[in-house]
C-alpha cells in the first residue's frame, strides 16, 4: 500500500499474493480482525509466515491491502434521468454495504488503525477515491442534463451526502435504512437542484 515501506527482496508471486489476500478476507469475515493471526493466514494460504512478514509488517497492514484488493464497493450506477433518484439508489446500496459483513470488517480495520496514521491515511484516501468517483459520475450526468447550477461546489455537496454515514459509524449507530436515506437526499437537493 502506498505510504508504507516495503522490505527489500523479491515480491510474492501473483498466485501467492492472491492466496494471501483471499485467506485474509475469509478469516476476517469468519473471525474478525482481533482473532485473525498471521499464522492462520499463512496456513490457509499455503505460504510461510516469512513470506507474509517480508511484505506486510502486521495483520492490520495486511488486512487493509486485502480489503482493497477484494472489496470493491460495487453496484451499477443508475441513470434514471434524475440526480435525486440516482443518488438515492447509490446511497441505499452504500448503506447496505456498511451493514454487511464486509462493512463490519471495514469498521474493525478503521478502529484498529487509529494510532497508525502512516498506514491509515493512504487506506482512507483509496476508499475515498473509490466512493467519490462513483458520486461524480452521477453529478456530471446531472450537470449535462442541466439539473444543477455549475457554480455549486460538487465536492462539498458529496461530503454532505457522506456525512451521516461517518457520523453514525463514529457514534456506533447502524447505517441509515433505505427510507431515511431517501428522505435525507431529497431534503438536501430541495435546496440546490434547479426546479
Amino acid at each position: 500500500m502506498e505510504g508504507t515501506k516495503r522490505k527489500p527482496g523479491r515480491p510474492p508471486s501473483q498466485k501467492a499474493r492472491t492466496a494471501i489476500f483471499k485467506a485474509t478476507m475469509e478469516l476476517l469475515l469468519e473471525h474478525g480482525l482481533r482473532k485473525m493471526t498471521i499464522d492462520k493466514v499463512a496456513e490457509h494460504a499455503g505460504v510461510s509466515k516469512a513470506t507474509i512478514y517480508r511484505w506486510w509488517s502486521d495483520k492490520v497492514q495486511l488486512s487493509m491491502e486485502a480489503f482493497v484488493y477484494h472489496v470493491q464497493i460495487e453496484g451499477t450506477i443508475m441513470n434514471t434521468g434524475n440526480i435525486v433518484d440516482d443518488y438515492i439508489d447509490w446511497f441505499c446500496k452504500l448503506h447496505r454495504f456498511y451493514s454487511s459483513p464486509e462493512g463490519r470488517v471495514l469498521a474493525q480495520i478503521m478502529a484498529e488503525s487509529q494510532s497508525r496514521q502512516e498506514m491509515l491515511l493512504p487506506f482512507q484516501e483509496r476508499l475515498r477515491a473509490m466512493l467519490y468517483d462513483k458520486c461524480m459520475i452521477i453529478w456530471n450526468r446531472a450537470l449535462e442534463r442541466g439539473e444543477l447550477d455549475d457554480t455549486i461546489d460538487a465536492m462539498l455537496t458529496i461530503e454532505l451526502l457522506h456525512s451521516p454515514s461517518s457520523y453514525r459509524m463514529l457514534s456506533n449507530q447502524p447505517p441509515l435504512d433505505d427510507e431515511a436515506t431517501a428522505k435525507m437526499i431529497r431534503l438536501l437537493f430541495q435546496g440546490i437542484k434547479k426546479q
Side-chain angles (χ1 to χ4, degrees):
M1 177 165 274
E2 294 172 18
T4 55
K5 292 183 178 178
R6 296 288 188 206
K7 297 173 185 176
R10 190 164 56 94
S13 68
Q14 187 57 46
K15 182 179 178 181
R17 181 182 172 87
T18 300
I20 291 166
F21 286 163
K22 182 174 184 290
T24 300
M25 279 304 301
E26 287 174 354
L27 290 167
L28 284 169
L29 290 168
E30 186 176 350
H31 301 293
L33 181 55
R34 293 213 170 163
K35 291 185 179 178
M36 186 192 84
T37 66
I38 295 294
D39 282 357
K40 287 179 182 175
V41 173
E43 181 183 344
H44 278 65
V47 300
S48 69
K49 285 195 300 180
T51 297
I52 295 174
Y53 279 119
R54 178 178 294 279
W55 293 98
W56 297 281
S57 61
D58 58 26
K59 67 180 184 179
V60 176
Q61 184 189 18
L62 173 57
S63 297
M64 287 178 172
E65 293 205 29
F67 185 89
V68 171
Y69 182 85
H70 269 288
V71 179
Q72 295 295 316
I73 302 172
E74 292 286 3
T76 303
I77 300 293
M78 293 290 286
N79 189 2
T80 64
N82 183 299
I83 188 173
V84 173
D85 292 337
D86 290 351
Y87 273 133
I88 287 172
D89 179 77
W90 167 244
F91 277 94
C92 283
K93 288 173 182 171
L94 183 60
H95 294 159
R96 287 194 290 270
F97 168 80
Y98 288 144
S99 298
S100 71
E102 289 84 1
R104 289 191 286 276
V105 166
L106 173 60
Q108 292 170 27
I109 292 172
M110 299 288 277
E112 290 292 321
S113 58
Q114 288 303 307
S115 62
R116 315 277 292 284
Q117 292 297 304
E118 76 285 354
M119 290 184 349
L120 179 59
L121 292 176
F123 178 67
Q124 288 175 320
E125 282 303 314
R126 289 174 79 172
L127 292 177
R128 188 176 294 116
M130 213 186 319
L131 294 172
Y132 279 64
D133 286 351
K134 301 276 189 182
C135 285
M136 285 307 299
I137 291 170
I138 296 171
W139 186 272
N140 289 330
R141 284 177 183 165
L143 282 176
E144 289 171 8
R145 290 192 298 259
E147 290 184 86
L148 297 171
D149 187 323
D150 62 10
T151 63
I152 297 171
D153 188 323
M155 297 310 290
L156 181 58
T157 306
I158 292 169
E159 288 278 358
L160 289 170
L161 288 166
H162 281 284
S163 293
S165 305
S166 303
Y167 170 76
R168 283 176 169 257
M169 272 198 246
L170 288 171
S171 57
N172 201 28
Q173 297 181 61
L176 294 169
D177 61 22
D178 288 0
E179 183 180 357
T181 298
K183 284 181 179 178
M184 175 199 74
I185 292 171
R186 288 192 182 106
L187 180 63
L188 175 62
F189 279 95
Q190 278 177 9
I192 62 174
K193 188 174 183 286
K194 288 182 180 178
Q195 301 302 315

